[in-house]
Amino acid sequence: MVKETVKQLCKQHTELTDQDVQILQEMAFSLQTYADLSDSYMFIDCKLKPSNQAIVVAEAFPVGSTPLYNNSVIGKIVFESFEPGVFYSYRNGKKSIIRQAMTQEGIVVDQTVVPIKNTNHQVIGVLISEKQVVSPTPTGNVQKFSVVTETAEDQMTNSGLGVVSDLLMEMLILTDESNRLVYANPSGLRLISEMSEKDDVLNRDLLELLPFLRTVYEQEDDVFVFELTIQRKNLIVKKIRMREKNKSQETLLIIQDITELRTKEKELMMKSVVIKEIHHRVKNNLQTVASLIRLQMRKGMPAESRSSFEETLNRIYSISSVYEIILTKEHADDDDVNIINLTRKICSTMVLNEYNLKVDLIIEPNNNKIVTTSKKAVSIALIVNELIQNSLKHAFQGKEEGIIDVEFTVENDFVEIHVSDNGVGMKNPQTSLGTEIIHNLVTNDLNGEFLYVPREIGTHAVVNFPVGAEVEIFDE
């Protein structure tokens, strides 16, 4: 039953694969054991498609403990504003610990969130452990209060909170059990007066003044978050229903005007579209240049010029590969490139195009994921292209097969790219256009070094450059 519920919710609300869902099902099956062992409330949350919210797909409560939750929360939507730890772990793939976190049910808990990853190290869900925070029992001469006689309005106006609320940009609106307005800070009063076109609003039915809030009030949840657009305003409304002995009391609304934020998001979206279009045009222009070169080659040319044209085509393809990788990304303004994936793409194509030679290509990441900006990625693409091109052109003369090995190592905040082959070797390396390109790019663009390492069989070239703001290393 547990596994079937997870499967049904994931299929309906997420974009997870069957394999990802199976991982979550196995974890959900053992969730009760984890809950009893740690005496914690356990949950599994998954992100909704294509939203910035999540959904609870599994839960387990420790047997014999005082329940934190009166009802099941499976299928309930999770908002980032109330459970930031869930979304932190989702985005960063790291463990999150929040002391005295407030859940959407208004319960104070110690919360630990651990990302759940698939075989490709992608975060597919989060495992949440919650324990209720127990307030220390008052001792000595500390006075005990069992009943709060002040209303929320009195507490807000008579304490320092009233002064603070007057300074907030957020709108605080408080209504009684009949939905009559009993308090609003200056920002809240401005909103009510502006949208209702009435100045005398105190003690009036808020839902008559602002009918669009009826949807928020009709929600049965004690804590509810709702985003709406009204009169060209974008608002996030957080409703907190205050209860005393399970009787409905005041309702507090915290309203945030995010109109400017949404406008900026639209501008960024337009910028993202423009950036993507630029990447498309660069890629298409490179393909046009390559097509013109191929056309010239088909029209006929001296045999000694053909290899130079082929080398130029490979260089163009290497640069174009950078933009192809960027264009596959979800966010167009994310121009970071995984240079190991880039190397695989470039090298594989070059080796496959060698019809008269059988070459075994070996790429060794050594559990490294190396990410650079597109500018540096173009330089690295050209460097790798030249080194592989040299091996294919010169290393295996008189041979029908060979091995090319590309290895990535990281040591002392430096990245090293080793390109070696088992070919005829180079006793006296000669300066050529290719080596000049490599030296210039390594020195000027990567701030690194390039050298050949002596070896008995074949050639071994090494490029090293520092890790920095434009070069990041991750463990795979």
Side-chain angles (χ1 to χ4, degrees):
M1 182 64 181
V2 173
K3 289 186 176 182
E4 189 59 35
T5 302
V6 172
K7 182 179 179 180
Q8 190 175 23
L9 287 171
C10 288
K11 288 296 182 184
Q12 185 176 353
H13 298 285
T14 76
E15 296 178 332
L16 297 173
T17 65
D18 291 341
Q19 189 176 6
D20 293 341
V21 173
Q22 190 173 358
I23 294 172
L24 295 174
Q25 285 179 301
E26 295 302 325
M27 185 159 289
F29 187 72
S30 305
L31 209 58
Q32 187 62 54
T33 304
Y34 298 150
D36 293 336
L37 186 64
S38 62
D39 196 28
S40 302
Y41 287 74
M42 307 294 298
F43 306 91
I44 295 176
D45 290 5
C46 296
K47 280 191 76 174
L48 293 174
K49 59 176 182 184
S51 165
N52 289 326
Q53 299 168 351
I55 186 171
V56 182
V57 299
E59 66 182 9
F61 301 164
V63 176
S65 63
T66 304
L68 280 180
Y69 298 85
N70 293 325
N71 300 305
S72 171
V73 295
I74 289 178
K76 195 161 189 176
I77 303 302
V78 178
F79 299 95
E80 182 170 7
S81 54
F82 285 98
E83 303 207 22
V86 170
F87 294 86
Y88 171 85
S89 294
Y90 238 113
R91 279 193 289 267
N92 299 284
K94 297 179 181 178
K95 181 179 180 180
S96 165
I97 300 176
I98 300 181
R99 302 299 182 193
Q100 297 193 5
M102 176 71 77
T103 69
Q104 290 183 197
E105 289 70 26
I107 303 166
V108 181
V109 297
D110 282 344
Q111 185 185 74
T112 303
V113 184
V114 179
I116 303 169
K117 299 182 180 181
N118 61 14
T119 53
N120 296 321
H121 301 282
Q122 297 169 322
V123 179
I124 59 174
V126 291
L127 180 65
I128 304 165
S129 170
E130 291 180 356
K131 286 189 176 183
Q132 185 170 17
V133 176
V134 181
S135 301
T137 304
T139 56
N141 296 322
V142 179
Q143 189 175 1
K144 298 181 181 180
F145 294 94
S146 58
V147 179
V148 178
T149 58
E150 288 185 311
T151 64
E153 177 195 6
D154 294 331
Q155 293 180 47
M156 195 170 286
T157 53
N158 295 338
S159 70
L161 184 58
V163 178
V164 174
S165 68
D166 290 351
L167 301 176
L168 292 175
M169 294 298 293
E170 287 83 358
M171 293 144 262
L172 300 184
I173 297 172
L174 187 69
T175 59
D176 62 14
E177 64 275 9
S178 301
N179 300 333
R180 290 177 303 172
L181 179 66
V182 294
Y183 174 84
N185 68 345
S187 297
L189 285 173
R190 281 196 297 271
L191 175 76
I192 298 170
S193 298
E194 178 186 342
M195 304 197 79
S196 67
E197 298 181 352
K198 291 181 176 60
D199 295 326
D200 183 18
V201 295
L202 199 61
N203 292 320
R204 296 188 60 175
D205 189 334
L206 184 65
L207 301 185
E208 290 181 3
L209 296 170
L210 304 178
F212 61 84
L213 290 176
R214 190 173 298 278
T215 305
V216 179
Y217 273 78
E218 287 175 351
Q219 290 293 326
E220 294 181 358
D221 293 345
D222 285 351
V223 179
F224 181 69
V225 181
F226 187 73
E227 182 174 338
L228 57 87
T229 302
I230 188 79
Q231 296 182 16
R232 296 187 179 180
K233 283 183 178 291
N234 293 98
L235 304 173
I236 289 183
V237 182
K238 298 178 184 178
K239 179 200 74 174
I240 303 173
R241 184 170 290 139
M242 301 175 181
R243 293 183 179 274
E244 184 180 346
K245 295 180 181 178
N246 295 324
K247 294 181 180 178
S248 247
Q249 299 293 318
E250 292 100 336
T251 298
L252 176 65
L253 299 181
I254 304 172
I255 303 177
Q256 184 180 6
D257 188 344
I258 57 168
T259 306
E260 186 177 351
L261 175 63
R262 290 290 178 258
T263 302
K264 293 292 184 186
E265 286 178 351
K266 289 178 182 176
E267 291 174 357
L268 288 173
M269 193 175 296
M270 289 300 297
K271 180 183 175 184
S272 180
V273 171
V274 171
I275 291 172
K276 194 165 188 175
E277 179 61 24
I278 290 171
H279 289 330
H280 264 297
R281 291 191 181 188
V282 171
K283 175 175 159 291
N284 291 341
N285 288 342
L286 288 169
Q287 289 178 342
T288 301
V289 173
S291 298
L292 291 172
I293 292 174
R294 290 192 191 95
L295 182 62
Q296 180 64 53
M297 291 173 69
R298 284 198 295 269
K299 290 293 184 181
M301 61 173 61
E304 60 272 15
S305 302
R306 190 171 188 84
S307 62
S308 298
F309 274 73
E310 289 175 348
E311 290 173 5
T312 301
L313 278 174
N314 283 335
R315 290 168 187 141
I316 293 171
Y317 170 75
S318 298
I319 300 172
S320 177
S321 296
V322 174
Y323 293 96
E324 284 183 17
I325 289 175
I326 293 173
L327 286 169
T328 60
K329 295 195 171 188
E330 182 179 351
H331 301 289
D333 54 348
D334 180 7
D335 71 341
D336 288 347
V337 178
N338 184 330
I339 64 170
I340 296 176
N341 291 344
L342 176 65
T343 300
R344 283 196 183 98
K345 183 176 177 63
I346 294 169
C347 296
S348 299
T349 302
M350 293 177 68
V351 167
L352 287 172
N353 288 338
E354 285 294 320
Y355 302 111
N356 300 321
L357 181 65
K358 180 185 176 184
V359 175
D360 289 332
L361 175 65
I362 302 171
I363 308 289
E364 298 183 74
N366 290 316
N367 297 321
N368 294 310
K369 178 183 177 182
I370 306 170
V371 177
T372 71
T373 59
S374 58
K375 180 181 176 183
K376 287 194 180 294
V378 168
S379 301
I380 293 168
L382 286 170
I383 291 166
V384 170
N385 170 79
E386 295 301 326
L387 292 172
I388 299 298
Q389 198 160 244
N390 283 344
S391 289
L392 293 173
K393 186 176 180 181
H394 303 292
F396 306 112
Q397 293 180 358
K399 293 187 174 184
E400 295 181 355
E401 59 183 35
I403 298 172
I404 297 178
D405 189 298
V406 184
E407 183 179 9
F408 294 85
T409 61
V410 179
E411 190 172 348
N412 299 325
D413 290 330
F414 272 82
V415 176
E416 291 188 356
I417 305 176
H418 298 258
V419 180
S420 56
D421 60 58
N422 64 342
V424 297
M426 275 193 310
K427 293 183 180 179
N428 297 308
Q430 300 294 318
T431 301
S432 63
L433 175 61
T435 54
E436 285 185 14
I437 289 173
I438 295 170
H439 275 291
N440 288 335
L441 292 173
V442 171
T443 304
N444 299 325
D445 290 2
L446 302 182
N447 194 27
E449 294 180 337
F450 168 67
L451 67 152
Y452 284 105
V453 178
R455 59 184 294 175
E456 293 183 3
I457 299 175
T459 305
H460 183 184
V462 180
V463 174
N464 70 71
F465 53 92
V467 176
E470 295 183 289
V471 181
E472 295 183 281
I473 310 298
F474 303 94
D475 291 332
E476 276 284 66

